[in-house]
Amino acid sequence: MSNEPESDEQAFEHRRTAVALVGCGTAGGAHAITVSRHATADLVACTDIDGAKARELAAGHGARAVDTLDELVAVGPRVVIVAAGPAEQPGIVRRLVELGFRGGVLCEKPLALSLAEARETVRYATGHGVTLAVNHQRRFGAPFVRALELLRGGRVGDPVRIEAFGPKGTLLDWGPHWIDFARMVVDDDPVTWVDGLADFSEPQAHAGLRLEGHALITWEHAGGVRGVLETRGTPLGQPLLRIWGTAGAIEIGCVAPDGEGGWRPGPGLRVVDGSVETDADIESPLAATQWLRSLDELIRALDEGRQPAHDAARATAALEICLAGYRAALGGGRQRLPLDPAYTLREGVAAGGPVAG
């Protein structure tokens, strides 16, 4: 056996990361599976307001179920994943900081229900040495990464329009992912206005709110590129995302006619620029491996002393567009940004949608 010391790279490969989980519902379960698949991460503790859920999840992953955040922090995790609703997450993050936690926190999206809460959460956490990220895992997906490479390489010219579609879910649920990616397409060019429509006649439950059954929002970046996002509609032939350029289009999560009047999943990536090029072998735009890359990015950022690519400040910028879309749809008309930070989605009603605070 060699007695030579390990290189920095070897040490990084062997270093273990203790991870704790707050929230053991559906999202928490997915995060627990993600940790189990990570080469250097171990789930050491979990907690939930429903103690039975925490005990069940802990038993399945060799972790310890605890009753309080105090006990969770005492276990000594380096990363805490917060898989709770946007109404609860700011308070959980603050409490972790108050208890002396100083590692990395990965929250679910959206981070909060108002810009004021989100920004204060970011300020408080980062001001106390905590690295705060939000699980915008789609940005790490192979189709999204490849689409940006093609765009940067000039394959379809300059971007002029971004179309996004969420076949289920809500603006508060799918919106943050797609808007985060849209901002990447235009190199974070600021959004100047947001407009929107929403139908609350058949509300959907999400994060303790009764939100829209269907929504359509549009926005414009300062450089003139426009975006449109539709949720839970049935537009014929609409992929999950389409980037229109001056010389063609890039589509992610495509669909194709099924021969029976309906549609079936098509290639994960397609380029239309006079010819048609598809990549049917690329991973799904909704692949679970994106969760693994999201966690890995936070761990690497901690090791390297930098901000992660999906840091909470970026996530807050995407949240602003979603909130502006709701405010426009609820009768506020076109919203000129910046949005009032105090605007919040705190409660929902079936007839009129979220109540503006």
Side-chain angles (χ1 to χ4, degrees):
M1 177 180 294
S2 171
N3 292 320
E4 293 182 6
E6 290 186 324
S7 67
D8 289 342
E9 183 176 353
Q10 290 173 320
F12 174 76
E13 290 176 351
H14 295 143
R15 189 181 303 142
R16 307 300 301 180
T17 298
V19 180
L21 176 63
V22 180
C24 301
T26 302
H31 279 292
I33 293 172
T34 298
V35 175
S36 72
R37 292 174 175 170
H38 193 280
T40 63
D42 302 298
L43 187 65
V44 296
C46 59
T47 189
D48 192 279
I49 193 170
D50 183 340
K53 283 186 178 181
R55 289 188 292 274
E56 181 180 1
L57 187 145
H61 292 273
R64 173 184 171 187
V66 298
D67 295 324
T68 66
L69 292 180
D70 305 58
E71 295 174 274
L72 189 92
V73 172
V75 173
R78 189 177 185 218
V79 169
V80 175
I81 298 173
V82 180
E88 294 78 30
Q89 289 188 144
I92 293 172
V93 173
R94 174 172 282 272
R95 183 59 182 154
L96 289 170
V97 174
E98 291 173 346
L99 290 169
F101 179 75
R102 294 296 183 268
V105 176
L106 178 64
C107 285
E108 265 306 312
K109 50 78 195 162
L111 178 61
L113 292 176
S114 75
L115 288 179
E117 288 178 305
R119 289 169 179 167
E120 174 57 21
T121 302
V122 174
R123 185 200 66 79
Y124 189 75
T126 57
H128 286 82
V130 170
T131 300
L132 184 60
V134 175
N135 194 35
H136 282 178
Q137 75 272 15
R138 302 299 174 214
R139 62 170 31 242
F140 302 112
F144 301 92
V145 173
R146 180 58 180 153
L148 287 177
E149 290 174 348
L150 290 168
L151 185 66
R152 301 290 183 260
R155 179 65 181 271
V156 295
D158 296 325
V160 295
R161 181 176 172 85
I162 303 160
E163 296 175 2
F165 173 54
K168 55 185 177 179
T170 66
L171 175 58
L172 195 67
D173 182 20
W174 283 73
H177 284 308
W178 294 166
I179 293 170
D180 177 58
F181 183 72
R183 294 184 68 248
M184 295 173 70
V185 167
V186 295
D187 294 322
D188 296 334
D189 188 31
V191 171
T192 57
W193 58 259
V194 182
D195 213 339
L197 300 169
D199 177 14
F200 294 92
S201 61
E202 297 180 1
Q204 297 185 82
H206 177 69
L209 304 173
R210 288 182 294 174
L211 299 176
E212 79 283 356
H214 174 250
L216 178 67
I217 71 166
T218 60
W219 67 90
E220 185 170 273
H221 294 272
V225 175
R226 286 197 178 184
V228 57
L229 166 62
E230 183 173 4
T231 64
R232 207 184 179 188
T234 54
L236 299 180
Q238 176 67 47
L240 290 177
L241 279 160
R242 180 184 286 125
I243 306 167
W244 286 103
T246 53
I250 301 171
E251 298 179 343
I252 300 172
C254 307
V255 293
D258 62 8
E260 299 177 358
W263 298 83
R264 59 176 173 78
L269 184 72
R270 176 164 54 204
V271 180
V272 182
D273 60 348
S275 61
V276 177
E277 176 186 325
T278 63
D279 188 346
D281 295 327
I282 201 166
E283 71 178 22
S284 164
L286 307 180
T289 50
Q290 296 166 12
W291 293 61
L292 188 62
R293 295 177 195 134
S294 175
L295 173 61
D296 191 64
E297 168 64 9
L298 176 56
I299 292 173
R300 288 182 178 274
L302 288 172
D303 286 330
E304 296 166 10
R306 60 173 173 82
Q307 287 297 306
H310 51 346
D311 69 275
R314 285 192 56 85
T316 300
L319 174 61
E320 180 177 24
I321 301 173
C322 293
L323 292 175
Y326 274 118
R327 192 171 195 180
L330 290 168
R334 177 170 290 185
Q335 299 296 299
R336 304 286 178 179
L337 300 193
L339 181 70
D340 178 3
Y343 178 75
T344 184
L345 302 177
R346 273 295 175 185
E347 298 177 1
V349 295
V355 175

